[in-house]
Structures are given as structure tokens and as C-alpha cells.
Amino acid sequence: MSKLERKKTQMRSKRFSWKEFMWIYIVLSVLTAGQAMIYEAYVPARSVPTPYIFGMLGYWTIVTAIFCLITARQKYKTFDKPMQKLSEAAKQVAEGDFSVYLEPMHRADKRDYVDVMFDDFNKMVEELGSIETLKNDFISNVSHEIKTPLSVIQSYAVALQKDDLQPKLRKDYTDTIISASQKLTTLVSNILKLSKLENQEIQRASEPYDVCRQLCDCALSFENLWEEKNIEFVADLEDRAVIYAEESLLEIIWHNLFSNALKFTPPGGKITLTQTSDEDSITVMVSDTGCGMDDETLKHIFDKFYQGDTSHSGEGNGLGLALCLRVIELVDGAISVTSEPDKGTAFTVKLKSGI
């Protein structure tokens, strides 16, 4: 007998209990005796025939049996049957079937706690199904992203084994291998970093630091690249803005926002960095005059490995904004984005300031 069959047998055995039957019988008998005592207080007691006593005992036995059957039916209908459905559905989910859906037991105007529990179960299954899909997509994307640079490295390494290879071609092949290996290293590093961020909670840093200084340092690290593309960079920052947070984590945000702005802004374009603050928060905006994004792309920009503009897919691996979002969640901040195709994009990050 399987575990599920044993559970069902146990559940069937609990619908009717002789112990329960005897307790109900005793209670009903006592209530009847109490009624007889009240009756005796007003009407003189007479000799009660023995057959009458046995008849009453038999009568209350039948009443008790009927009562137990009715309550057992009610218990089965309102509790056992829904729990069996829930148990079977949970078993299907445990076996990996996330298409399970429990129909409500009652109409909308007669919902009870069981219907609410079924709704919660359906939402849980839906979320689990989404997580499973994301996990499978993540594994598929990681496999693809790792396979591509490895294939490049392998192909060019084989080509380098030729004895009659010209020095210029040898250098080109070597540069390609180095570029592919660097991309692979960055990918693995970002995956490990994202995994670490998704499995930890960051406590507020005990030491404050100046966000304005950090923004300036990060912007200056891209100075040569902006000059190469002849991009105008405009910064409007306060003299000082203090925040309590993990400095190395927030650096991930600014680095990725600047990198994306640089990647998608054409030569001769403009990138603007704006920072403001009030009593409770610090707001940082990075905007550009790049290619922009449509509504469909905006829905997925924080998804892992998603790249809306495939023409720049070789310049990244689609993990930057996923990292940004996770860091912002860890420091209780918020990020929003506005964008129009061919007009540009603006990312706005809002962080808590002060202690």
C-alpha cells in the first residue's frame, strides 16, 4: 500500500469514531435525563415501565447514529473533500506539475476560508511555475553565453597551430582569444556576483560615505571612452551627499548605468548625470541621447540575460541591470526608467540618505 493510499485510509477511518459516537450518546442521554427531572418537578413521578426505558435507550441510539452520520457528511463535505483535493494537488506540484489549478468550492458570494486557501494555493503554484521557468531560462542562457566564447577560443586556438600562419594573422587570432576569454571571465564573475547578492541580506553600513565623490570617480573612469566617441558629458552634482550603504555595492549601480549610457549613445551624443537630495533621500539620474527603448523592451530590461538591442550584444551579457536591481533592493532603494525610441533613456535611482 502506498503512502497516499495509507493517508486516504486514515482519513476515511476518522470520519466515524465509536468513541465520538459514545460521547454523543452519553450527552444526549444526560440531556434527556435532565428534561425528565424538570418534568418530574411539576408532575408527580410514577413508576416507569422497563420496556419504556429500553425503548428510550434504543431511540437515542438511533438519534445518535443519525447525528453522527449527518456530522460526518458535513465534515467530509466541508473539510475532508477539500483537503483531499489540496493534498492531491500538492502532490502533483511536488512532482513538478505547475499547471495545477483548484476550482473554488463555492460561488463568489458564498466564499469561505477554504476558497481563500485554494486561491492562495493557486497563486503559490503560479509563482513556483514562474520561478521554474526563470531557472530553466537562466540555465539555458548561461549555457549559451559560456558556449559562445569557448567555441571562439577553441576555433582560434586550433588555427594558431598552423605552422605557416602569418604574424599579423597570429596576432589577430591571439587578440580574439584574449577578448573572448575576458568576456567569459566577466560573465562568470557577474554570475557569481549575482548569485551572491541574491542569497544575502545587506546590513546598513556603519560608516557613511560621500555619493557625489563616488559618482565623480566612476564617471572619470569612463572619460577616455567618452572622448573616443566624442560624447558630451554633463554633470550636475551637489558638493556633498552622505549616505549609509555599502560603497562597493553602489559602485556596481553607477558603473553599469554609465556603461549602458556609453554603449547605446552614438558618437556625438550626450550623457547627463544629475544628483539631488532632500532630508530623506538622494536621487541620481543618468540620461542619454541614445537609441532608446520601446515599451516591450522596457518590460524586460531587468531580466537576466535580456538584451533588447541585439546589435550591441557583443558588448555585454545582459546581467548588468539585473545586478543593479538586486543591489537597489538590498539597500531599500528604488529605480525607474523612462525611454523613447531614437530619443534616449533616463535611469533614476532613489536611495535613503542619513542614518
Side-chain angles (χ1 to χ4, degrees), residues 13-166:
S13 65
K14 291 180 180 179
R15 290 176 198 160
F16 181 85
S17 168
W18 284 107
K19 184 177 179 181
E20 181 182 2
F21 176 85
M22 290 305 301
W23 273 110
I24 293 173
Y25 181 78
I26 291 171
V27 170
L28 291 177
S29 300
V30 170
L31 291 175
T32 303
Q35 183 183 15
M37 292 173 63
I38 295 172
Y39 182 78
E40 185 181 0
Y42 295 94
V43 179
R46 297 179 180 177
S47 176
V48 180
T50 301
Y52 175 80
I53 295 175
F54 284 105
M56 290 302 297
L57 292 174
Y59 171 77
W60 285 114
T61 300
I62 296 173
V63 170
T64 303
I66 294 173
F67 181 82
C68 287
L69 289 173
I70 292 174
T71 55
R73 183 181 180 279
Q74 278 302 110
K75 185 169 67 173
Y76 171 74
K77 184 178 179 181
T78 60
F79 179 77
D80 288 355
K81 188 177 180 180
M83 290 305 103
Q84 283 184 10
K85 289 181 64 176
L86 184 62
S87 176
E88 291 170 2
K91 184 175 182 292
Q92 288 180 262
V93 173
E95 292 173 350
D97 182 5
F98 298 102
S99 64
V100 178
Y101 179 80
L102 292 176
E103 294 286 346
M105 301 290 292
H106 305 94
R107 299 198 310 263
D109 58 336
K110 293 186 177 181
R111 288 164 54 89
D112 60 11
Y113 71 95
V114 173
D115 298 302
V116 174
M117 182 170 60
F118 279 12
D119 284 345
D120 292 339
F121 179 84
N122 291 333
K123 290 177 184 177
M124 180 193 71
V125 173
E126 185 179 352
E127 290 297 324
L128 287 174
S130 299
I131 293 172
E132 184 69 15
T133 302
L134 287 174
K135 184 187 77 173
N136 293 335
D137 290 345
F138 181 79
I139 293 173
S140 176
N141 287 325
V142 168
S143 301
H144 174 74
E145 292 289 338
I146 290 179
K147 183 180 178 181
T148 302
L150 283 178
S151 298
V152 172
I153 292 171
Q154 183 179 9
S155 299
Y156 281 89
V158 171
L160 283 173
Q161 292 180 330
K162 296 179 180 179
D163 296 331
D164 58 345
L165 195 64
Q166 296 179 4

Side-chain angles (χ1 to χ4, degrees), residues 173-186:
Y173 291 172
T174 304
D175 290 342
T176 301
I177 291 175
I178 292 173
S179 176
S181 62
Q182 287 175 341
K183 183 178 180 180
L184 184 60
T185 301
T186 301

Side-chain angles (χ1 to χ4, degrees), residues 12 71 94 143 260 298 302:
R12 282 198 296 269
T71 55
S143 301
N260 282 345
L298 284 173
F302 294 108

Side-chain angles (χ1 to χ4, degrees), residues 2 8 20 27-29 88 93 107 149 162 165 195 215 234 240-241 243 269 274 277 301 313 323 330 334:
S2 67
K8 288 183 177 180
E20 181 182 2
V27 170
L28 291 177
S29 300
E88 291 170 2
V93 173
R107 299 198 310 263
K162 296 179 180 179
L165 195 64
S195 176
L215 288 168
V234 178
R240 181 177 173 82
I243 188 173
T274 306
S277 63
I301 56 171
S313 59
L323 280 168
L330 287 171

Side-chain angles (χ1 to χ4, degrees), residues 190 252-253 256 260 301-302 305 317-325:
N190 283 339
I252 295 174
I253 302 174
N256 279 287
N260 282 345
I301 56 171
F302 294 108
F305 294 105
N317 47 52
L319 287 177
L321 289 177
L323 280 168
C324 288
L325 179 62

